[in-house]
Amino acid sequence: IGNTSVTNIALKCRQLERLDLGNCRKITDDCITSVAFNCTRLTNLGLSYCTKVTDASLKKIAASCTRLTHLS
């Protein structure tokens, strides 16, 4: 799965509470930024082995997804 697919999910499924993107090595900060701004109800987010995701987008997740209790 890549940036376009995850961005579309974020735009169309704004009520998501759980999203596991572990091992999706093609996704980048742009994609995670879209998730942060559109999926603010997330409680659980899996980003294991997403090597192109940096601290910059994780800060956006922390600021926007205030219900987040689990990040891996």
Side-chain angles (χ1 to χ4, degrees):
I1 192 167
N3 280 347
T4 303
S5 297
V6 175
T7 298
N8 284 334
I9 290 168
L11 290 170
K12 295 179 184 193
C13 301
R14 294 178 177 231
Q15 305 299 317
L16 278 178
E17 294 182 7
R18 295 174 178 254
L19 182 60
D20 187 355
L21 299 171
N23 290 309
C24 295
R25 295 181 177 160
K26 294 180 181 181
I27 63 171
T28 65
D29 284 338
D30 290 338
C31 171
I32 299 305
T33 297
S34 180
V35 170
F37 291 133
N38 292 294
C39 301
T40 58
R41 293 180 177 224
L42 282 177
T43 60
N44 187 312
L45 178 61
L47 296 172
S48 299
Y49 304 105
C50 295
T51 56
K52 294 181 181 178
V53 174
T54 69
D55 289 347
S57 61
L58 293 180
K59 287 178 184 178
K60 291 175 184 173
I61 288 287
S64 297
C65 302
T66 57
R67 297 179 183 187
L68 195 67
T69 59
H70 182 78
L71 178 65
S72 63

